[in-house]
Amino acid sequence: MATVAGVAVEGGHWIGGERVSSPTTFDDVSPIDEKVIAEISRGGEREARAAVEAAGKAFPSWSRTSREERARLLHAIADGVEKRLDQLAIVETTDNGALLRSHLRGVMPRVAHNFRFFADWLLTLGHEDFETRGHRNHVSWDPAGVCALITPWNAPLMLATWKIAPALAAGNTVVLKPAEWTPLTASLLADITAQAGLPDGVFNVVQGYGAEAGAALVADPGVRRVSFTGSVPTARHISTAAAANLTPLSLELGGKSPLLVFADSDLDLAVDLAVEQYDNAGQVCLSAVRLLVEESVAEEFTARFVAKASALNQGDPRDLATDIGPQIHRRQFERIDGFVQRARAEGATALIGGGPNTDLGGLYYRPTLFTGVAAGSEIVNEEVFGPVLTLQTFRTEEQAVEMANSTRFGLAATLATGSEERAARVSERLVAGTVWVNCFFVRDLKAPFGGSRQSGVGREGGDWSFDFYCDLKNTVTAPWEK
Ligand code: NAD
């Protein structure tokens, strides 16, 4: 048990409704000052197996629990999240370095909303019935079984609960493996589910490294669904392991999304949208990190962007006035710096930033904007996952679309334009799971979410979540003789 920002957090796993420790632990380090804040149990094959077994044992009863009762319990979990919102927010900030302001105002309320939304959606999920030559077809959404959920560190509880809520609502039982850099809020969520009255074994948490606990979970033949959010290289490992058991997969992966700024746009709005891409220190999968600006307004856009971005307040994420906090981990910090140095060596120019924030030290990296980048270069094509944007110009709409679609990713695209016709034309041609026109990050859980190309496989949200977490069944009944 550790005390983090005044909140007691268990470092063990949560298996079958009990805290379980492993013989070895790993250090959980805060990105704010790189100090160890908790010792976490290092799970592996043994713990993964135990959790899948516990989830398997709980499945028959949970899957037959009425929809109304499942929905009631999900709302009770949401109540628990809301009751502990301040604690969840400060623990998450201490663990992953994202802004306390965002956790309090946006992220943790969304965590509660994840449970409420899927609880309510479950109750509206229809059973389709139709007739074929007098025979009745009855299509039902059957729960699939044990779901392994594997999540990243950039929005730990938000992304985890976006999977947990529909999986549980659908009548499945769950084993969550949170990222090893941010294990804490998953542990608090286990306490909340227990207090809400969720039966033992319905929700389980296995802590540990991806290559150990994560890999063991994915390979377990007792798992009927794997839902993964993370990087492309890990997705390859997971896909290979899941293939052995033909376990259905959902993959939410990385991106290199564009922001297209046309000359007819409201330039103040376009600049606001561009600067917003530094949110969470650039550690957002959806970030529009490639600024593609029409040549005729590029100079004006760049001047306004530099002025606005330079005024961002970098510092301690617990301070409500801070705009940009630290990067998650020393390894990620060095990875980002590697990208920046290689971009420079290739001839790119950093208009702002371009290195660590030496005033603050630690893991604070200056928001960076590169110009003079070559189309085929690494900085334009590979995901940095840090506060590093590139700016390129285009002359025609055709060229803008071509540049936007030029990477192997297709997660999101944002465009700023004053023309409704252009917005319709361009968005139709963009390869992306989500397109935002004159806005960014407006999200509705009813909408399909996911990536095209190497940004993912499948879609989550609304019916699409249930589509993944359920086995759809068609029961065909001959006419009864009366
Ligand atoms: P990552 O792939 O390194 O790790 C993600 C999770 O996978 C962690 O829990 C890790 O422990 C686990 N893992 C690692 N190796 C594994 C293995 N062999 N088997 C099973 N599990 C394994 O990703 P990350 O660095 O934590 O997150 C950043 C990435 O996530 C970025 O690429 C980002 O774009 C992406 N992301 C995507 C979305 C989305 O919705 N599309 C959202 C957030 C983040």
Side-chain angles (χ1 to χ4, degrees), residues 1 10-15 18-25 39-43 46-47:
M1 170 84 82
E10 292 276 359
H13 315 287
W14 177 250
I15 298 174
E18 283 176 13
R19 288 288 167 186
V20 176
S21 300
S22 294
T24 53
T25 60
E39 293 292 325
I40 305 294
S41 278
R42 181 173 167 179
R46 196 172 57 98
E47 292 80 357

Side-chain angles (χ1 to χ4, degrees), residues 150-154 159 162 177-181 208-211 214-215 218 228-232 234-235 237-238 252-255 284-285 332 383 385 411 449 455:
I150 299 182
T151 50
W153 44 261
N154 64 320
L159 291 169
W162 196 25
K177 208 299 281 171
E180 53 271 39
W181 288 347
Y209 294 122
V218 175
F228 169 72
T229 299
S231 65
V232 170
T234 306
H237 288 295
I238 288 182
E252 300 284 0
L253 310 178
V284 178
C285 57
Q332 191 66 11
E383 185 183 45
F385 222 53
L411 191 55
F449 177 85
S455 287

Side-chain angles (χ1 to χ4, degrees), residues 258-271 273 291-298 301 392 394-404 414-419 421-427 429-430 435-438:
L259 164 61
L260 291 82
V261 178
F262 289 94
D264 59 13
S265 65
D266 169 346
L267 223 50
D268 283 333
L269 171 71
V271 168
L273 292 173
L291 310 181
L292 308 178
V293 184
E294 191 161 349
E295 205 173 79
S296 58
V297 292
F301 173 89
Q392 297 164 278
F394 63 83
R395 285 211 179 117
T396 63
E397 191 177 295
E398 184 64 29
Q399 199 188 1
V401 170
E402 206 174 287
M403 288 165 85
T414 303
L415 59 127
T417 174
S419 156
E421 293 73 31
R422 189 201 299 282
R425 254 190 337 260
V426 172
S427 40
R429 295 183 59 197
L430 291 171
V435 176
W436 281 291
V437 180
N438 294 327

Side-chain angles (χ1 to χ4, degrees), residues 271 297-309 351:
V271 168
V297 292
E299 202 178 320
E300 177 65 19
F301 173 89
T302 307
R304 290 201 216 174
F305 176 91
V306 167
K308 192 163 174 104
L351 283 190

Side-chain angles (χ1 to χ4, degrees), residues 184-443:
L184 300 183
T185 48
S187 186
L188 291 178
L189 182 67
D191 297 336
I192 290 171
T193 60
Q195 278 148 15
L198 199 69
D200 293 348
V202 171
F203 174 65
N204 305 273
V205 179
V206 175
Q207 303 282 11
Y209 294 122
E212 298 172 1
L217 258 185
V218 175
D220 196 299
V223 166
R224 290 310 314 138
R225 290 290 187 276
V226 172
S227 180
F228 169 72
T229 299
S231 65
V232 170
T234 306
R236 290 209 174 90
H237 288 295
I238 288 182
S239 304
T240 307
N245 301 321
L246 294 179
T247 313
L249 275 175
S250 159
L251 303 173
E252 300 284 0
L253 310 178
K256 192 75 183 177
S257 300
L259 164 61
L260 291 82
V261 178
F262 289 94
D264 59 13
S265 65
D266 169 346
L267 223 50
D268 283 333
L269 171 71
V271 168
D272 285 352
L273 292 173
V275 173
E276 204 179 329
Q277 308 308 321
Y278 291 128
D279 272 7
N280 206 8
Q283 303 167 133
V284 178
C285 57
L286 295 160
S287 283
V289 288
R290 290 185 297 133
L291 310 181
L292 308 178
V293 184
E294 191 161 349
E295 205 173 79
S296 58
V297 292
E299 202 178 320
E300 177 65 19
F301 173 89
T302 307
R304 290 201 216 174
F305 176 91
V306 167
K308 192 163 174 104
S310 304
L312 289 172
N313 183 13
Q314 190 163 32
D316 190 319
R318 293 167 296 193
D319 182 340
L320 297 182
T322 295
D323 299 313
I324 299 190
Q327 306 310 132
I328 178 75
H329 194 274
R330 177 65 49 189
R331 215 184 312 151
Q332 191 66 11
F333 183 85
E334 281 164 6
R335 189 174 167 272
I336 294 166
D337 200 45
F339 275 109
V340 167
Q341 291 184 21
R342 289 191 295 279
R344 270 225 187 78
E346 284 191 10
T349 307
L351 283 190
I352 56 167
N357 185 330
T358 44
D359 298 341
L360 295 171
L363 298 179
Y364 293 86
Y365 206 90
R366 286 197 190 281
T368 298
L369 176 70
F370 274 120
T371 56
V373 291
S377 62
E378 180 190 64
I379 199 70
V380 169
N381 289 285
E382 295 304 320
E383 185 183 45
V384 176
F385 222 53
V388 180
L389 310 184
T390 57
L391 191 148
Q392 297 164 278
T393 59
F394 63 83
R395 285 211 179 117
T396 63
E397 191 177 295
E398 184 64 29
Q399 199 188 1
V401 170
E402 206 174 287
M403 288 165 85
N405 289 341
S406 66
T407 73
R408 65 192 162 102
F409 298 105
L411 191 55
T414 303
L415 59 127
T417 174
S419 156
E420 209 172 328
E421 293 73 31
R422 189 201 299 282
R425 254 190 337 260
V426 172
S427 40
E428 194 181 308
R429 295 183 59 197
L430 291 171
V431 180
T434 304
V435 176
W436 281 291
V437 180
N438 294 327
C439 60
F440 181 66
F441 227 86
V442 178
R443 299 275 307 280

Side-chain angles (χ1 to χ4, degrees), residues 433-434 444-450 459-462 464:
T434 304
D444 192 315
L445 292 180
K446 285 200 278 292
F449 177 85
R459 295 291 182 270
E460 296 186 84
W464 292 277

